[in-house]
Amino acid sequence: RSVIKYDGNNRAHFTAKSLSRAIAAANAKMQTIYTDACLMNCVEYQFELKDLADYLVLSTFIVPGYGGHYDFLVDQLAAHPTDIEAALKEYNRQTVAFWDERYEGRYDYHDMSVIRTAKLDAFGQKWRAFTDKIIAAYQSGEALKQKIDSVTKYTFRIINNNPSYDIVHYYKQMYRVAPEVLGEDFFNELDASFWATVVSKQTSNFLQERGNSVDASILLGTKGHYRRYTYNGDLDNLELDFFLQFEADGSRSCFYDNEYH
């Protein structure tokens, strides 16, 4: 749950909740919160931060080592002094194009999104309705349960060793596999409510060429829990060191057994 770590002080960190409380304590509504870090365009983070700023600038997958191109950002803010949305949109485009040029073949999974927070509550209401429909269908019989499990199992993951799935891939696959659960009208409303939150979205040439849009991530608990896997870091001989299993009641267990390799 940590989003900012300080390795030099006993790994003290902010969670999304404590970070939002710290920003709120400043008693200042910001135009933009920009997290120059990987894996931050998660809907859980969006909803933690939505009341603190008008826009969020976040990356779903990877931010290359260079990070954001702040010369571009300053230039765009100067060029659009009364239109922050236009400035962020152009900054988004220029930065991802810069990463494409600088990191081709090294950091191919980069992306950046600009999120409009005023539209997040409407999307959240639709997503809650989607969740209720899926839960009811899951409990209604084995046939639908198997369909839903198949979607959860095969939906595109943002990163393999975390329970982080692309949200648009998830609901589109759910509609394709079990259209009777959502219905066409509701699916279109859900889809429209998500895209209303998006000011701008840019993904690397590598991702675009392969049809992976990488829209936003969401954490999914499967079989009643989350698992986080940790590997030895040796890319030539990658092996699982252990995994943590997080239960719905807040408890967690750690597994080291070799059979899980």
Side-chain angles (χ1 to χ4, degrees), residues 33-154:
I33 294 175
Y34 173 16
T35 63
D36 189 4
C38 304
L39 306 176
M40 291 301 293
N41 190 27
C42 178
V43 293
E44 286 86 354
Y45 294 160
Q46 291 179 16
F47 277 86
E48 289 289 354
L49 299 171
K50 69 179 178 63
D51 295 328
L52 303 174
D54 297 321
Y55 300 96
L56 305 174
V57 181
L58 311 165
S59 292
T60 309
F61 217 132
I62 287 176
V63 174
Y66 187 93
H69 199 307
Y70 293 107
D71 288 350
F72 288 168
L73 182 58
V74 172
D75 289 346
Q76 288 307 312
L77 291 172
H80 302 87
T82 61
D83 191 349
I84 186 71
E85 192 165 298
L88 295 175
K89 187 182 296 185
E90 183 60 19
Y91 172 71
N92 188 3
R93 186 191 67 79
Q94 289 186 9
T95 300
V96 173
F98 170 74
W99 289 342
D100 276 333
E101 180 180 354
R102 184 182 179 99
Y103 289 105
E104 184 179 2
R106 288 186 289 162
Y107 293 105
D108 287 324
Y109 291 87
H110 54 262
D111 73 288
M112 181 186 286
S113 297
V114 179
I115 305 300
R116 183 183 296 110
T117 60
K119 298 295 185 178
L120 280 170
D121 281 338
F123 167 64
Q125 292 169 7
K126 290 296 180 184
W127 188 256
R128 175 58 187 265
F130 169 86
T131 303
D132 289 344
K133 289 176 181 289
I134 297 303
I135 291 172
Y138 197 82
Q139 296 171 342
S140 68
E142 189 62 27
L144 282 176
K145 181 176 182 294
Q146 289 182 6
K147 288 182 178 181
I148 293 169
D149 281 342
S150 72
V151 172
T152 303
K153 183 175 181 180
Y154 293 112

Side-chain angles (χ1 to χ4, degrees), residues 122-225:
F123 167 64
Q125 292 169 7
K126 290 296 180 184
W127 188 256
R128 175 58 187 265
F130 169 86
T131 303
D132 289 344
K133 289 176 181 289
I134 297 303
I135 291 172
Y138 197 82
Q139 296 171 342
S140 68
E142 189 62 27
L144 282 176
K145 181 176 182 294
Q146 289 182 6
K147 288 182 178 181
I148 293 169
D149 281 342
S150 72
V151 172
T152 303
K153 183 175 181 180
Y154 293 112
T155 295
F156 178 69
R157 281 194 172 195
I158 303 303
I159 190 168
N160 285 334
N161 64 346
N162 281 296
S164 182
Y165 295 76
D166 186 273
I167 194 170
V168 174
H169 285 232
Y170 187 70
Y171 69 69
K172 284 185 175 180
Q173 286 191 38
M174 196 67 73
Y175 177 64
R176 185 171 66 249
V177 169
E180 69 274 25
V181 172
L182 300 182
E184 182 177 3
D185 289 344
F186 178 80
F187 169 79
N188 289 333
E189 291 168 3
L190 173 63
D191 193 51
S193 71
F194 172 80
W195 289 107
T197 71
V198 178
V199 174
S200 176
K201 179 175 294 295
Q202 299 288 330
T203 55
S204 67
N205 289 334
F206 179 89
L207 289 168
Q208 291 183 47
E209 289 165 0
R210 287 156 179 78
N212 289 329
S213 54
V214 191
D215 301 297
S217 66
I218 187 166
L219 299 178
L220 297 180
T222 59
K223 300 181 179 178
H225 55 247

